[in-house]
Amino acid sequence: SFPTRRSSDLSKHAFEVGRNLACTPGAVVFRNELLELIQYKPMSEKQYPRPLLIVPPQINKFYVFDLSPEKSLARFCLRSGIQTFIVSWRNPTKAQREWGLSTYIEALKEAIDVICAITGSKDVNMLGACSGGITTVTLLGHYAALGEHKVHAFTQMVSVLDFEIGR
């Protein structure tokens, strides 16, 4: 049988960002009203020139991709020579209730421009998860309509794109 844990046994400080959660070395290199952009320190001698931007869901935290040294997509990418950036979304309050999808897209466009300026790359690869994937797909449509080629490849995880299923 599995041991049971009472909620009183769990400290609300059991996980601390930078101590035992999100421990991969990196720094915020850009900030706007909606997001902070984290650039991670390389962990391999060779770095591929095209960077990766990871876009988590707006309702999750960036550290879902850097849970621990053993469970970290960020570390896997860095050890594989991929220049890695992750978005950390702001928690909106009532003051930001007017933010819509276009607001998030504009924030991502700024982040991509910053990544290209930092790395010297003409474009980025992107990975989007859940609502971050939905936002990124919409951004790709926007770029296509403008004829811009700032995203080379896109991977999505757990992103529902057909909202008419079953109707």
Side-chain angles (χ1 to χ4, degrees):
S1 81
F2 292 96
T4 57
R5 244 187 225 176
R6 293 172 291 158
S7 60
S8 60
D9 295 338
L10 299 175
S11 167
K12 74 183 215 180
H13 302 290
F15 299 102
E16 184 180 331
V17 173
R19 186 176 62 81
N20 59 1
L21 180 70
C23 300
T24 303
V28 173
V29 294
F30 172 73
R31 178 180 292 121
N32 63 26
E33 188 179 10
L34 275 78
L35 62 81
E36 291 182 334
L37 180 64
I38 303 166
Q39 180 180 18
Y40 289 86
K41 184 179 176 183
M43 292 186 161
S44 67
E45 286 187 33
K46 180 184 177 193
Q47 295 291 294
Y48 291 99
R50 184 175 288 119
L52 172 66
L53 172 59
I54 298 174
V55 183
Q58 288 85 344
I59 59 171
N60 280 45
K61 296 295 178 198
F62 71 95
Y63 46 76
V64 72
F65 293 105
D66 188 25
L67 293 174
S68 70
E70 302 80 25
K71 298 175 184 171
S72 173
L73 178 62
R75 281 182 190 255
F76 174 81
C77 292
L78 293 163
R79 288 181 179 146
S80 299
I82 299 170
Q83 299 180 71
T84 304
F85 295 79
I86 300 181
V87 166
S88 176
W89 294 110
R90 177 180 182 177
N91 287 329
T93 66
K94 286 182 183 180
Q96 293 84 32
R97 68 181 165 265
E98 299 301 320
W99 288 357
L101 187 56
S102 62
T103 312
Y104 285 94
I105 289 169
E106 289 302 317
L108 282 179
K109 287 172 59 178
E110 284 185 83
I112 289 168
D113 289 343
V114 168
I115 292 169
C116 290
I118 289 171
T119 64
S121 181
K122 66 180 173 116
D123 56 17
V124 301
N125 290 329
M126 294 184 75
L127 182 151
C130 291
S131 60
I134 295 167
T135 305
T136 304
V137 164
T138 308
L139 168 67
L140 295 175
H142 175 73
Y143 277 154
L146 296 175
E148 293 191 31
H149 303 282
K150 293 188 178 186
V151 178
H152 176 78
F154 169 58
T155 301
Q156 64 185 59
M157 301 168 50
V158 196
S159 298
V160 175
L161 300 178
D162 185 352
F163 297 100
E164 298 297 320
I165 294 175
R167 290 188 187 175

